[in-house]
Amino acid sequence: MPRKPLLIFLLTLFLTVLQVQWAAPADGYADEALSVLSPEVLGAYPGVLLLFLLAVFARRAMPVMRQAAICTALLAVYWLLANYVTFDARVASWSTYSPLEIWAHVLPSSVISVAACAAAWFGLICFILRQGRAKK
């Protein structure tokens, strides 16, 4: 695998794990209940999707900043949905939460982690994509 896609995939995986653990720590939960929703598994999906999108964008000669902005927005939405699913599996499954009540818990706990990780992802992706173009 070439270096640039590998770096992007690993960055996406790392920041997804960090963001999900930051927004919803796994303290006090059984391991068997978390296997399907583990952050490592959740991070692989957007990594593959974003690599595909970046390849399409590069083919269309889209500016680096626009590529990074679109992918960052999609990743932030994915992280919010991952936080929703994680909260639903870990906390809401033990009680009677409506979807609106779940969002009321997830959004405040996700704002800082999603913003920080999205800013890091945006900056690093811009750097990685520009490095790739500078060498050509």
Side-chain angles (χ1 to χ4, degrees), residues 52-111:
F52 174 75
L53 281 176
L54 287 170
V56 169
F57 293 158
R59 217 96 157 99
R60 303 181 107 218
M62 187 179 286
V64 170
M65 292 293 279
R66 186 178 296 164
Q67 290 180 36
I70 291 170
C71 290
T72 302
L74 289 173
L75 189 58
V77 169
Y78 179 83
W79 285 339
L80 283 173
L81 292 174
N83 291 344
Y84 179 91
V85 170
T86 304
F87 182 85
D88 188 33
R90 294 179 181 177
V91 178
S93 63
W94 296 96
S95 185
T96 55
Y97 282 86
S98 70
L100 186 60
E101 291 171 329
I102 294 173
W103 280 115
H105 287 281
V106 168
L107 286 176
S109 67
S110 300
V111 170

Side-chain angles (χ1 to χ4, degrees), residues 7-52:
L7 283 173
I8 293 170
F9 181 79
L10 290 175
L11 176 66
T12 305
L13 183 65
F14 172 74
L15 286 176
T16 300
V17 169
L18 176 67
Q19 192 285 135
V20 171
Q21 290 300 319
W22 186 358
D27 297 337
Y29 298 101
D31 288 337
E32 61 271 1
L34 302 177
S35 62
V36 175
L37 296 172
S38 70
E40 296 81 15
V41 173
L42 290 174
Y45 301 128
V48 172
L49 172 70
L50 292 176
L51 285 176
F52 174 75

